[in-house]
Amino acid sequence: LLFWLVSLAGGCPPSLALFSAPPHSLVCAASLRKGMSKEASEEQVVIEELQSEDFKGEEQPKATVSSIEASQQKAKELSYYHAQGTPQPLPEDAVIRQENPLVRADGQGPHKIEPLQAQASRTENVRWIESYSFSDGDAAVKLYVEFPESLADADITCEWERFGVELLARLSNGTIYGIRIRDREGWVLEHERSGGFAHEIDPQKCKHRLSSSGQRITLTVAKKDDKEKWHELKKKDIKSTMPR
């Protein structure tokens, strides 16, 4: 900070001339200077630099607590920042999940939990059928699947989900055939979903039927919304439908 102290010749103290004198005396002082000699009228300029610690300006009050802490102290549990409190340690009996809960959370109510290892071994040697045809009806979609051999003596299990199905046919000779239509894992929003049925279904009304020949299974996929038209069986990835 630079302070300029200007002292005028004529014996008048600078503080008196600049700060104590009323406005009309400043005009008189200016007129007196006109009659002074050149040497007496020269201004004397003094420049003084002050250190930051010597400056006595206005000081802002120091906050003892942050705005978050002040809100928490004032409003307690009703504070907007209540969730930003000090993290509390977990209790000793707390159980931390190691698996992804979305694998089992399908929105269809409680299910018998099967270990993930058992699920992997259950579908390890399955011959998955990837070719099938379908037809759109008013209340349901018909899915037709052809198999290379008869399933007349096979143990057939079928599990339905909101957007998918998994059917397994176990033959007595150890061969296992399967049909799987299921969304990719990790989707949250509808535009992220792909791989499952094109629209939501009603798992409680879905069913399957084996033909008399034993080589065809017909899946009746009950629609959640009867007014929806199924132009395709599976939901495609939105990126694959964008023009390039």
Side-chain angles (χ1 to χ4, degrees):
L1 298 177
L2 299 179
F3 283 78
W4 296 73
L5 303 179
V6 181
S7 34
L8 303 176
C12 180
S15 59
L16 180 60
L18 296 180
F19 303 102
S20 301
H24 66 274
S25 63
L26 294 178
V27 178
C28 296
S31 61
L32 290 174
R33 287 185 56 193
K34 295 180 180 180
M36 295 179 182
S37 61
K38 181 178 180 181
E39 293 78 11
S41 62
E42 290 182 354
E43 297 179 352
Q44 298 179 0
V45 180
V46 178
I47 301 176
E48 183 179 358
E49 182 177 357
L50 296 180
Q51 302 298 326
S52 58
E53 59 269 13
D54 298 333
F55 177 64
K56 304 299 181 181
E58 296 182 358
E59 296 183 358
Q60 298 295 333
K62 296 181 179 180
T64 55
V65 294
S66 64
S67 57
I68 296 178
E69 293 176 348
S71 175
Q72 293 173 344
Q73 294 176 4
K74 181 179 179 180
K76 305 299 180 182
E77 295 182 356
L78 300 179
S79 171
Y80 180 80
Y81 303 100
H82 176 66
Q84 300 185 14
T86 304
Q88 300 296 328
L90 295 175
E92 296 180 357
D93 58 345
V95 178
I96 301 177
R97 293 183 179 182
Q98 301 297 331
E99 303 88 4
N100 182 5
L102 294 178
V103 175
R104 295 169 177 161
D106 57 0
Q108 300 300 319
H111 297 282
K112 182 179 179 180
I113 296 179
E114 183 179 1
L116 295 179
Q117 294 81 1
Q119 293 182 17
S121 60
R122 183 169 61 93
T123 60
E124 192 174 67
N125 299 318
V126 176
R127 298 181 183 180
W128 298 105
I129 305 298
E130 301 292 344
S131 59
Y132 31 72
S133 58
F134 79 98
S135 63
D136 185 21
D138 294 334
V141 175
K142 297 287 187 177
L143 180 61
Y144 309 100
V145 186
E146 301 286 346
F147 293 86
E149 58 181 308
S150 176
L151 305 180
D153 61 343
D155 178 20
I156 301 176
T157 60
C158 188
E159 298 179 359
W160 298 90
E161 301 174 355
R162 291 173 56 200
F163 298 100
V165 62
E166 181 178 285
L167 183 144
L168 296 177
R170 296 179 174 84
L171 297 175
S172 56
N173 59 7
T175 304
I176 304 176
Y177 292 101
I179 306 167
R180 176 184 286 174
I181 298 176
R182 181 175 294 172
D183 286 323
R184 68 178 181 87
E185 297 181 0
W187 72 275
V188 177
L189 303 177
E190 175 62 21
H191 71 272
E192 300 175 334
R193 189 176 69 83
S194 64
F197 285 129
H199 305 283
E200 186 175 359
I201 67 174
D202 188 349
Q204 302 300 327
K205 298 180 180 180
C206 297
K207 56 186 178 180
H208 69 279
R209 182 178 63 86
L210 181 65
S211 65
S212 57
S213 64
Q215 289 190 256
R216 171 188 284 188
I217 288 182
T218 302
L219 299 174
T220 302
V221 184
K223 298 180 180 179
K224 183 73 173 180
D225 186 357
D226 297 346
K227 298 179 181 180
E228 287 181 331
K229 298 297 182 182
W230 287 44
H231 302 289
E232 56 186 7
L233 183 64
K234 293 183 179 181
K235 175 75 160 48
K236 295 181 180 179
D237 186 357
I238 190 173
K239 294 182 179 180
S240 64
T241 61
M242 296 177 64
R244 298 182 179 178

